[in-house]
Every structure is written in structure tokens, then in C-alpha cells.
Amino acid sequence: MSMEKVKNLTHKKPSGYSPQATKDTPVQYVKGVGPARARLLERLGIGTLEEMLFYFPWRYEDRRDLKKISDLRYGNIETTMCEVVSAEVITTPKKRMKIFELTVTDKTGFLKSKWFNQPYLERYFKRGQKVILSGAVKGNPYSMTGAEMENPDFELVGEEDTFIHTSRIVPVYKATEGISPKQIRTLMFSAVNNYLSIIDDYLPEDILKRNGLEPLRRAVKETHFPEEFSDINVLNRASSPAHKRLAFDEFFLLELGLALLKKRETLEKGISFEDKGVLVNRFLKSLPFELTGAQKRTIDRIKDDMLRPLPMNRLVHGDVGCGKTVVALVSMLIAVENGYQACLMAPTEILAEQHFINIHGVVEALGLNAVLLTSGSKGKSLDDISQGSAQIIIGTHALIQEQVKFKNLGLAIIDEQHRFGVVQRADLRSKGPNPDILIMTATPIPRTLALTLYGDLDISIIDELPAGRKPVITKVFFPNQKDRIYSLIKDELAKGRQVYIVYPLIEESEKLDLKSAIEGYEAFRKICPENKIGLVHGKMHRDERETVMAQFKSGNIDILVATTVIEVGIDVPNASLMLIVHAERFGLAQLHQLRGRTGRGAHDSYCLLMAYPPFSEEAKRRLKAMESTGDGFKIAEEDLAIRGPGDFFGTRQSGIPDLKIADIIRDINVLENARKEAFAFIDTGPDFNKYPLLSKTLKKKWMGRLELIRS
Ligand code: ADP
Ligand code: MG
């Protein structure tokens, strides 16, 4: 068949659909799938027919215009359909590398393609086989053919299915071993043509109208096989009207769930604390500083929440060093003086320990009893908690374990929320008679994004650092500047200051890290022989680690060599310099958190970023961002720009529904509209019996986490 004929092929009409198929029909029974392929699709998260229809392409290729070989342009990404002339595996003489070489022709010329280390490809290509190749075109002066592609995408073309895979804008799906993007496309084509009718529009009519949304079936169809919306660039930005509809739905269902959670909490009875103020005032008087305006405002809001008979659900959000611990303590004291217990849950053992060290002295001075609860804790502390002799409990995830029983938990604080989710919050809540919940996070995120992730929470922002804080002077150094670094360190030590030296934690090889931290420790003992040096890392026994940390805090240790275990929560105002080794390997948020350990006292502080070239463009941007700003919000924005939102949030772990199509940044307007609609809808106190499809879809999305909806 000639190229012209392929182009002129009309698209196949949908064949009849199977009336018995439903959303929950296992894909195994979908035409063309069967048990073996069903197992492969399962790996892609496709178990049911509905999941199949909602498995969308990640990009598109415009194959309406397949290029002739003579028209290929060097440097462009081009797609061409040709016939195989020869296919062979060659082995390079020196490195013994296997290269699969394919030569194809379309009568206007020849094109060579190469794949490295994939000799098995040979078996797919027979002489005369029609194939589509898509990739960047290179010139090769040594090749007879002139033009060449390296590792192009390829598809074998049979005469009968060219209308699916060519002569149109084709969707490209993420595939897995054993099933190719092309096979998935074939299955999807059949699914879209046969089963689209199982999808029903569940959004209320007026919401569809107000937002100018495409009907759901058309949106699904067009997202898979675009015909009406055919701008390839718009499609590849996932911004066609079809994509927008799907994005709206994802946001709407997310926000609807959050709105319900929020509403449920306003319906439930919580504890009304009284404002006695005795312990709080004694505590505030004992502080060597005045609270900042932002701290006072936040405490007032928390107090209001605690006095009301509804359960508090507040997020306190503030950059590192803004003084969240004091706010947490005041809240805990309010609970305690009303006869309740208060707990503080931290994401890591070392952070829980640090909080305990920072807090227990203060608490005991007020005549109260604090305990630390981690996974290794023994019966004694469990008894103290269940009998109520411990009023303040600091701990890790261990706090939400079965066997931990509180006598009367009135307030639960979660520190560093980004590592906890909706589900853990609910677990913690179930530990008491509807306790108040306060969440503290130092991950600064733009407000709209906060609304998405924490849409069911009230938010306070501590947007002011304690007076007199100076920006941490931050600079990147290279290995050939070691002497300069050592002299800066020695200068600080000579002034009586203390120093952190941080080594990276590389997940694949914790052993290697440890090795580098230990080597660093040995090296600095030689470099600074007259100073006391300590070492902390995650593999150390808790007692040992606590001893070292306590010695650093009290000033008995001058230099603390550490892995990233010190990332959060450690507070030593006299530590004025931090050296981060292999800074190019750290994420931006992490660098900012680490740096936040300095700049806590009255002295000038320094953060030295030791970077080992060569490193990526992204690493360069991260280091530059660190040098140019100390503002957590700016850092967060840059981080978001570098990493993209998916990676930034990890919504899966936060317990809220996944976003597959929607992108919090790109689709911010869609998000805002969806949020408005969702909250307005819940505000009307809707009877979900009248919206059976919506209610079913919502429940499915949230997987049983929204007990409020009854239908
Ligand atoms: P973060 O918000 O990062 O958890 P911390 O609560 O650890 O911050 O506080 C950082 C440091 O600032 C601590 O040493 C704390 O005692 C101090 N601090 C907190 N509030 C104030 C304030 N209003 N004025 C001066 N120092 C403060
Ligand atoms: Mg903190």
C-alpha cells in the first residue's frame, strides 16, 4: 500500500458495543485482552474497564503527515513510514557493544536507525515489513544513507490497522514489558469504540454549563483519539478542552471530598477548652524573648479554635526558624491546664528526640510530666500515657499504634505535615474524644496549593522571623577551594562558634554515606586537632545519639559531623556555620531546611555548599537559588519549577485522590473554579440521594475515607 493510500484511509466506524459490559468489568473480558494481557495491564494500574478508559496517553504524535525520507530534516523530530531493507546486529570491535542496525526505504531514499544494547530487536523486523519510525534525525557522513536515527520509537504496521496508528494524531501510552504502546493503543481504540457508553456524566448540569465543560464521554474519547481538538501542541500540554474537562473532574472530586471533611468537622462536637491562662502566662514569662506579632496572631487563632466546642483542624505554616515550637507549647499548655493530655507527633525519631530535649525541661519547670514515645519505648511510658501521669507526650508514628492508649487526649499536634496524610490524621484523632488537631509545617507552599492539599483545614501563616535574625550568607565552593573552607571554619571556631558538617544520604547506598560521614569525621579530627568533634547518623543507637546531640547543644562539642538526620528540628543558636558536602546531590527543600539550622542566634551565619562537578543543569539551578535567596517561599516556588508538582507533592502518600491529568500549576485556574464549585455545592447542604452517580464516583475516588456521604 502506498503512503498516499494510507493517508486517505477513512477512519473505521465503531462496531457494535457490548451491552452487558459495566465499569467494573475486569479488563480480562474486554475484547482483545484475555488473562495474560490482563496481568500486564494490572501492572499499569488497569484492572477494570473503567480504569482502562481512564488510562490516558502521556503524549501524542502527529502522524497525519508522515514525512518522506527525502524530506526529513536534520535536527528535527520526524516520523516516517518505510519498508525494511535490512536488519542486523553488529558488535563493535573494541568495547564489544551490540548495536542493532535497521535500514529502511520508501523509494525516496534510505534511512538507517541504531539501537544500542538491544540485539533482541532483530527478530521483530523482516525484509519488506512496514514500519513507522519516529525520532530525532541526525546526519552521518560515514553512513551510505546520509540520515540516521538513534533509538527511535518504532511501530510495526500491518495493513489492516494503519488507521489506528497512522494518518491521525496518535496517542502514546506508557507501556510495560510485555505489552507495547502500540498494543495498548490497539486495545484502547477498541475500548473507546465499543464501551464509551459505560461512562455517565455525573456532574450536576449547572456546573457543566457554568464552566463550559465538555460532556464526559466526548472528553474521554477525544483525549484518547483526538479528532475535533487537533492542535498537537495544545494536546501535548494536556490543555485541550477534553483534557480540561478531565482535569476539572479530578479537582472537583478532590475538593468535594475536602469540603465534606471540613463540613463533617463543623458538625461534630469537640472539646471546649477554657482560657485559664495560668500555665501559659508562667511559660511566656519564662521566655527570654518577646513573641513576634505573627506568633501572637497564630496563638490567638488557635486559642479561639480551642475554646469553641468544635474540633480544631488548623495548619500552621511557617518558614524554618520562625518559632513554631513556642506556638505548639502554648497550645499544649492550654490543653493540659484543662485536665487533658497533649501529644506532639514528629516524622522521625531524631526529631522527636530533639523536640523532647527542647520541651521537657520547660514542661517540668511548670510541674508537669513529659514522656518520649518511639517504637523502642517500653511499658513504663505506655502506662504513664494510659494512666494520665504523663500530660505531654512527644513521639513518632509509634503514637498511633494500637497499643498506645491515652487517658484523655485533648490536643494532637503533627509536626512537619508533609510526611503525614489525611489517613494518619484520622488515626490520631481516634486516640481521644475528638481531640483538637494542629498541624505544623515548614514546607512553604504557595497559598493555592496549600488549599488543595489542606483544603479541609484552616490555615495560619507565621510570616515573620524573630527580630534580629540575619540572612545566612550562602556560597557555593568547589573542591579546589578546600583550604578556603577550612580557614572559614577555623575562624568561626576561634570566635567560639560551633559548626555543622553535613554529608549526603544516598538512598541506594546508606553504607557509602556512612562511610563518607565517618571519613569526614576522621578528616576533620586532623584538620582541627584542638577542637572537639562529634558524629551523628541514623544507624547509631538512640542513647549514643542523644548524648552527642546534648553535648553539641551544651557547647561541649565544637563540630558536629552528621548525615541528613539533622535536617529538621535541631536548634543550637551558637552554631553559626554549616558546611554541606556534595551539596549538588541535595534537593532544594532539603538544602533550605538544613541551612535553617544556622542563623538562629545573633551572630552572622554561613552556609557553605561544597559542590563536586560535573553536575546537572537542575543542580546548578538549585545551588544558585540557595545563593540568591533565604526566603522559604521563593525557594519553594523555584523548587516547584524545577521538580514539577507531581514529584513535589506525592499526593498518593498524603491520602487524597491521585491527580492523573490535572496539574496543580498548569491548571491552576481550573483548580480554583473546581474548588469554588465544590465548596458552594456542599454549602447548599445537598441531598446526595439526588445525585447517585456523583455520590458513587466520589466514594470510589476517596476509597471509603468519607463516611459522611450516605446514599
Ligand atoms: P521552627 O519554626 O523552625 O520550628 P523553632 O521553634 O525551632 O523554629 O525556633 C527557632 C529558634 O528561635 C529557637 O531557638 C527559639 O527559641 C527561637 N525563637 C522562637 N520565637 C522567638 C522570638 N519570638 N524571638 C526570638 N527568638 C525566638
Ligand atoms: Mg520546628
Side-chain angles (χ1 to χ4, degrees), residues 168-416:
R168 63 156 70 240
I169 290 181
V170 297
V172 183
Y173 298 92
K174 291 246 160 77
T176 180
E177 206 183 315
I179 188 161
S180 68
K182 185 188 170 196
Q183 287 167 322
I184 295 177
R185 187 184 306 132
T186 305
L187 294 176
M188 208 59 94
F189 189 78
S190 149
V192 167
N193 279 292
N194 293 308
Y195 303 114
L196 208 54
S197 59
I198 64 154
I199 296 174
D200 292 303
D201 220 318
Y202 50 81
L203 283 189
E205 195 68 39
D206 53 325
I207 293 183
L208 287 175
K209 275 216 192 97
R210 256 198 307 279
N211 296 279
L213 298 173
E214 288 297 313
L216 189 53
R217 280 184 201 170
R218 180 155 73 196
V220 170
K221 195 215 143 272
E222 282 284 325
T223 304
H224 285 293
F225 293 95
E227 277 173 6
E228 271 170 73
F229 312 127
S230 59
D231 183 326
I232 186 76
N233 296 319
V234 172
L235 286 166
N236 274 327
R237 282 199 305 271
S239 297
S240 75
H243 286 95
K244 294 273 180 198
R245 163 67 207 258
L246 299 173
F248 185 94
D249 284 26
E250 286 184 349
F251 286 138
F252 183 76
L253 293 169
L254 165 65
E255 295 292 336
L256 202 59
L258 293 173
L260 275 170
L261 284 172
K262 185 160 186 164
K263 172 125 179 176
R264 174 172 66 200
E265 270 137 24
T266 64
L267 296 176
E268 274 174 8
K269 217 173 137 35
I271 306 163
S272 302
F273 295 96
E274 279 174 46
D275 185 10
K276 305 197 165 149
V278 182
L279 283 177
V280 174
N281 285 338
R282 269 175 56 202
F283 166 63
L284 290 178
K285 280 210 189 90
S286 76
L287 288 176
F289 48 74
E290 276 281 307
L291 295 182
T292 63
Q295 282 171 319
K296 281 186 194 149
R297 267 197 309 281
T298 305
I299 288 172
D300 284 346
R301 296 298 302 274
I302 292 171
K303 222 185 252 173
D304 287 347
D305 285 355
M306 291 184 75
L307 300 193
R308 269 187 308 179
L310 305 172
M312 167 166 74
N313 250 309
R314 182 167 292 279
L315 173 74
V316 172
H317 190 290
D319 207 349
V320 271
C322 71
K324 291 184 289 294
T325 314
V326 173
V327 173
L329 260 169
V330 169
S331 324
M332 293 202 277
L333 293 176
I334 296 175
V336 171
E337 67 184 3
N338 277 271
Y340 286 90
Q341 291 169 300
C343 74
L344 172 63
M345 182 158 87
T348 65
E349 210 156 284
I350 192 156
L351 181 54
E353 287 161 16
Q354 285 310 302
H355 272 310
F356 184 73
I357 292 168
N358 290 340
I359 286 172
H360 86 278
V362 178
V363 168
E364 276 151 23
L366 294 167
L368 305 173
N369 187 14
V371 301
L372 175 65
L373 188 91
T374 60
S375 53
S377 297
K378 298 277 153 44
K380 167 89 170 74
S381 29
L382 288 178
D383 291 346
D384 286 349
I385 297 170
S386 65
Q387 283 154 20
S389 60
Q391 290 101 339
I392 287 186
I393 301 100
I394 316 281
T396 56
H397 283 84
L399 284 171
I400 50 179
Q401 283 165 10
E402 268 303 319
Q403 70 266 30
V404 182
K405 304 258 186 298
F406 290 84
K407 177 147 185 274
N408 57 351
L409 182 66
L411 171 71
I413 302 181
I414 304 176
D415 193 15
E416 306 300 338

Side-chain angles (χ1 to χ4, degrees), residues 613-676:
F615 41 78
S616 65
E617 250 340 279
E618 288 185 9
K620 218 174 273 176
R621 277 178 76 179
R622 293 196 294 265
L623 297 171
K624 218 180 168 87
M626 284 294 290
E627 278 187 328
S628 62
T629 183
D631 178 334
F633 280 89
K634 288 206 185 107
I635 294 269
E637 264 161 31
E638 183 65 11
D639 200 20
L640 205 57
I642 297 175
R643 284 161 63 188
D647 195 27
F648 191 81
F649 287 114
T651 46
R652 203 179 276 283
Q653 138 190 349
S654 68
I656 62 176
D658 258 353
L659 301 175
K660 288 188 192 142
I661 290 264
D663 176 315
I664 296 175
I665 307 299
R666 181 189 62 217
D667 302 320
I668 189 87
N669 295 328
V670 182
L671 167 59
E672 280 168 0
N673 292 337
R675 178 177 169 80
K676 232 182 283 162

Side-chain angles (χ1 to χ4, degrees), residues 2 6 21 92 104 120 135 143 152 177 329 371 435 437 494 531 579 596 605:
S2 77
V6 171
T92 60
V104 296
Y120 58 86
S143 153
E177 206 183 315
L329 260 169
V371 301
I437 303 267
N531 293 103
L579 167 64
S605 291

